[in-house]
Structure formats: C-alpha cells, structure tokens
Amino acid sequence: MEFVVHLFDNPNASWVITGCLLLGLSSGVLGCFALFKKYSLMGDAVAHAALPGICLAYMLYGTKSIGLFMIGASLAGLLGALCIGQISAHTKIKPDTAMAVILTGFFGIGIVLLTKISQSGNASQSGLDAFLFGKAASLVGIDVQVISVVAFILLAVTFFLFKELKLLCFDPQFGKGIGLPMGALNTLLMLMIVLAVVIGLQAVGVVLMAAMLIIPSVAARYWTEKLNYMVILSGTFGALSGILGTILSALTPNLPTGPVIVLAATFMFFLSLLFAPERGLLAKLLRHLKLRKKIVLENILQSLYDLSEKDYVKGKSPHTGYTIAQMKHLRPHHQTDIEKGLHDLRKQGLVVNTTESSKNNWSLSERGLQVAYSITLNDRLYEMLLMNQAQYGSIQVDQEKGRIQDQVSEQTLHELQGLLSDYNRKPQLIPQLAYKFDKKFRDYYEGAPSKGGDV
C-alpha cells in the first residue's frame, strides 16, 4: 500500500497512470458503439493501419515528435478505415474479409518501413519500437496532455450525440427516415474510433490496442441491457484496467505496462463472464439447476397424480402408495433425483409415506393433490393446444410464464375444456376445496386455482 501511495506521489508515474486511465476510459466508451455497430475488428485494423503513418511521419520529420506521429497515425488509420468501407460497399467482399486485407496489407507496409528505419542507424532515437507493443513508461507530460485533450473531445462528442449514435447502432433506417445524416454519423464514429486507437498506440501498442477498445465493452455487456449503463460500465472497466495495469507493472521490474493493462481488462472480462447476475455462467448454472429441480418435482407430482387417477377410475383407493419404479416408468429420471425430489416434497407437505416399514411407497397428501391437479390440468390443456395447432396455432402461450388458463381467452378455454372431454384427458381425480384459502399452498402455487376448471 505504501508503494502505491509513493507511486502516486511520483510525477512520472502520475503522468503514466493518468494517461492510461484516460485511454481506458475513452476506449471503453467508444468500444460500446463499435461492438453494436459490428466494428469489433475495426479497431484492430485501424491500429495496424496506423503503423505506416507513424513511420512515414518519422521519415519525413527525421526525429520523434508525438504530435506528428499522431497526425500520421490518424491519417493512415482513417485511410485504412475508408478503404475498408469502400471495399465493403462496392465489391462483394464481406466487411470482415476487407478488414483482414487492410489490416495485413497496411501492417506489412509498416513493418517494411520500420525495417528501413532500423537499417538507417537512427532507430534508437526514433522510439518507434514502442508503437509495436506499447511502452506506457515512456509517456511524458506532453503525451498525456495530448491524450487528455483527445479523450475529452471524444467523451464530449459521445455525450452530446449519444441518441444519434444509439440510432446509428440499432436502427439507422429509422434515423435516416427522420432526417438524421446517418452516413456522416457513421464516418464520425469511424473517425472517433481511429482517434481512440491512435492515442493508445504509444501506451498499449499497435498489436494490443484493439483489446482496449473491445474487452471493456464486452465485459460491460454482461452486466446490463441498457446502452447508457453499459457505456458507463465499459468506461469504468477501461479506466480501472489502465490504473490496475500500470500499478501491477510498476510493482514488477521489467514488466511491460501495455500488455498488463490488457491482461487487467481480460481479468475483468472473465469476472463478468462468471459472475454477472443475468448473463454470467454462474447465474445460468443456478437457473438451470433450479429449473431442473422444478421439472423433477412437477414430474413426480404428475406421476403420482396419474397413478392415483388410474386407481380412482378403477374404483380403487388413490392413497395406497406407489413405488419409485412406477414413477420412473411414467417419467424417467435418475433414481437419486427422484429420491431427493420426494424428500423435498415431503418437507413441503405435498407427499407422504404410505407404508411405515418401507420408504419406497409414496402418495399425494391433500395439499399435494391440489398442486398435482393444477399441474396436470395445465399440462393437458397445453397438450390440447399442441394437438390442435391448425385451430390454435396463432395463440402464443409459454408454460414457463404461468398457467395456460391465464394466457388464453374464456372462449378458447371453454373450447379446450371440451377437447379434454372429447379426448378423455380431463383430470378425473378432483381435490377437495379445503385448501383453497391455504396460505402455504398459495405461496407454493401462486394464486388459488379458480379458472378453467381448476378447483
């Protein structure tokens, strides 16, 4: 901790941290629009296309000048972006193929020029090697001032044109219809991406700059569905990556700052991938396990209902109890899942052991019969809908969102009830009404069933 405090007290380290913070912030914000506009590879192509511009600026000026380097990189990057757009628009070549052609072509030119400069014997003074893999430690006051000005302009333009850029990403035809110059906005977005890439070349390098544009935005996408929140999160992730990467690089001698910044952003991406509340893998796993458990419990209740109904129709007692093998025969599940399901259902008071000496005979309790009846009725109504697609194909229902009875009209429900009788699928074992106002039952199965033949 003391080292970190000392790091912030060091003027050179403060310049580097500030520069990387602003670089991550502006790249993260613009990366959201690049992601939705499917320009994910554009940053990579522009970064590689910028290298010839830097080399030519050095060859023309003869010494290192960050201002000229940025002008050269911007012009070359913009030329690369325009070439990609023109090739995609006027040929049958797809955009990703055009990006690959421009990326490799411009980068090849850049490497040739870089080799030529290195053979001139003046390579050590040029500092051009830093632009390949980045050298954040070489940032000085004037570099950070340039980065600050460009980053501020990019953020300000994004703030004032947020709605227009949002339309450009999601509905450019509507934007064109209301009179917005979508072509000019697209060119502006590409120019902003070029500028965001160019200001990061010295810190992160040509090879890795695309990562700063895309990784924070992809990580932010896992946390929210709204673009405005995503832009804020992406900018925050980018800024934190810049700070964290710089500090970690300073803690370890000879560790390059640019790649560490990218690794910090990648770490945040994997955190988002694993732990994001809706889209994260852990959340998906928990939802899957919860759904699987719900299906097992409902299938057990339905199996017990079907067995009880069959005995009831034959005039036998529906409370004699049934084995796990009989349940598996109707709806196959793993033995362990059924045993765990029966244990959970017994704790909820929905099933009971009918034989004290054996744990394998189970029947529905009175409350369990109500729940099983509701599930069975809902399932058989859905079955009627599927069997009569020609008549009810236009009706959209989702079993996961609730009962069929609540998603169709009274007329349709009446017709479906008639079909249940016609196909001899109407549930015969009717539960008592004693639990209609049972709070525990209502908590388990939302709302006392009262519609469509439900008790």
Side-chain angles (χ1 to χ4, degrees):
M1 190 65 189
E2 184 179 348
F3 175 81
V4 175
V5 175
H6 176 71
L7 192 65
F8 279 93
D9 289 336
N10 186 312
N12 290 333
S14 297
W15 284 123
V16 174
I17 291 174
T18 305
C20 293
L21 183 153
L22 292 171
L23 166 66
L25 179 62
S26 57
S27 300
V29 168
L30 280 175
C32 296
F33 299 100
L35 179 69
F36 286 119
K37 195 59 184 167
K38 298 183 179 177
Y39 285 167
S40 298
L41 281 177
M42 181 64 78
D44 202 20
V46 168
H48 285 74
L51 186 59
I54 295 170
C55 294
L56 286 173
Y58 174 77
M59 293 173 76
L60 292 173
Y61 194 66
T63 186
K64 179 182 176 182
S65 169
I66 187 64
L68 285 175
F69 281 1
M70 294 193 68
I71 292 174
S74 300
L75 292 175
L78 192 57
L79 178 62
L82 291 175
C83 287
I84 292 170
Q86 292 301 314
I87 291 174
S88 304
H90 300 291
T91 68
K92 293 184 178 180
I93 298 175
K94 293 183 178 178
D96 57 337
T97 308
M99 288 181 192
V101 171
I102 296 302
L103 183 153
T104 52
F106 274 65
F107 191 60
I109 296 171
I111 293 297
V112 169
L113 294 176
L114 201 60
T115 305
K116 187 73 175 174
I117 293 170
S118 66
Q119 291 173 349
S120 67
N122 201 23
S124 60
Q125 296 179 9
S126 67
L128 296 183
D129 292 344
F131 286 90
L132 267 183
F133 301 105
K135 194 173 182 180
S138 66
L139 290 174
V140 294
I142 185 65
D143 300 331
V144 176
Q145 289 175 14
V146 172
I147 291 174
S148 303
V149 171
V150 176
F152 175 78
I153 292 173
L154 293 176
L155 293 175
V157 172
T158 304
F159 177 78
F160 288 111
L161 295 179
F162 180 79
K163 290 182 179 178
E164 287 79 3
L165 292 173
K166 187 177 179 180
L167 266 181
L168 176 67
C169 292
F170 295 107
D171 199 347
Q173 294 303 321
F174 176 75
K176 194 174 181 180
I178 62 175
L180 290 176
M182 303 312 289
L185 281 171
N186 190 52
T187 304
L188 176 64
L189 178 62
M190 291 176 71
L191 177 62
M192 292 166 69
I193 292 173
V194 169
L195 289 175
V197 168
V198 168
I199 62 173
L201 290 181
Q202 189 175 357
V204 182
V206 167
V207 179
L208 296 176
M209 187 52 213
M212 289 304 297
L213 198 65
I214 296 304
I215 293 179
S217 57
V218 175
R221 184 72 180 91
Y222 276 92
W223 295 91
T224 180
E225 299 284 341
K226 297 183 177 179
L227 181 62
N228 50 348
Y229 293 144
M230 180 181 164
V231 167
I232 295 172
L233 276 176
S234 181
T236 305
F237 287 158
L240 287 176
S241 301
I243 297 174
L244 190 61
T246 306
I247 293 175
L248 290 176
S249 175
L251 285 171
T252 309
N254 300 321
L255 195 63
T257 307
V260 178
I261 291 174
V262 174
L263 286 178
T266 307
F267 175 70
M268 292 183 186
F269 164 74
F270 279 110
L271 283 182
S272 305
L273 177 68
L274 290 175
F275 300 112
E278 291 295 331
R279 294 169 173 262
L281 294 180
L282 183 60
K284 285 184 178 178
L285 176 64
L286 292 176
R287 284 199 299 272
H288 172 76
L289 293 176
K290 185 178 179 182
L291 177 62
R292 181 182 173 186
K293 181 180 178 181
K294 179 185 175 186
I295 291 173
V296 170
L297 295 182
E298 290 189 352
N299 281 348
I300 291 173
L301 290 173
Q302 276 189 275
S303 297
L304 288 174
Y305 183 88
D306 290 345
L307 293 167
S308 302
E309 182 186 40
K310 190 175 180 180
D311 282 346
Y312 174 76
V313 172
K314 291 179 179 177
K316 299 180 182 177
S317 169
H319 304 296
T320 54
Y322 307 96
T323 64
I324 292 178
Q326 289 176 290
M327 299 178 216
K328 286 176 65 177
H329 179 71
L330 288 180
R331 291 175 178 82
H333 282 290
H334 195 276
Q335 178 87 9
T336 306
D337 290 338
I338 295 181
E339 290 175 353
K340 287 182 179 177
L342 286 168
H343 178 72
D344 290 342
L345 290 171
R346 183 171 64 176
K347 287 173 64 177
Q348 297 173 30
L350 300 180
V351 299
V352 292
N353 278 328
T354 56
T355 307
E356 292 295 334
S357 58
S358 172
K359 295 182 179 179
N360 292 326
N361 280 350
W362 301 85
S363 70
L364 294 167
S365 66
E366 288 298 324
R367 182 183 299 161
L369 180 58
Q370 286 218 12
V371 176
Y373 174 82
S374 296
I375 295 171
T376 302
L377 177 61
N378 186 67
D379 190 66
R380 292 182 184 179
L381 286 171
Y382 189 67
E383 182 184 321
M384 293 300 107
L385 278 177
L386 295 179
M387 290 172 63
N388 296 273
Q389 277 290 302
Q391 185 176 356
Y392 302 110
S394 61
I395 298 177
Q396 299 293 325
V397 296
D398 186 352
Q399 275 190 300
E400 298 298 326
K401 292 183 178 178
R403 305 183 310 168
I404 302 298
Q405 298 96 302
D406 300 326
Q407 301 182 55
V408 298
S409 65
E410 291 285 348
Q411 176 64 31
T412 302
L413 192 53
H414 181 72
E415 293 173 3
L416 291 176
Q417 288 171 337
L419 289 172
L420 282 178
S421 299
D422 295 342
Y423 286 99
N424 197 26
R425 294 288 291 161
K426 189 172 183 178
Q428 300 297 315
L429 185 57
I430 309 298
Q432 301 297 316
L433 296 174
Y435 291 95
K436 183 176 179 180
F437 302 104
D438 187 320
K439 184 176 184 305
K440 288 183 179 179
F441 167 69
R442 294 204 308 272
D443 290 343
Y444 180 85
Y445 194 77
E446 186 179 1
S450 59
K451 184 182 177 186
D454 239 336
V455 294

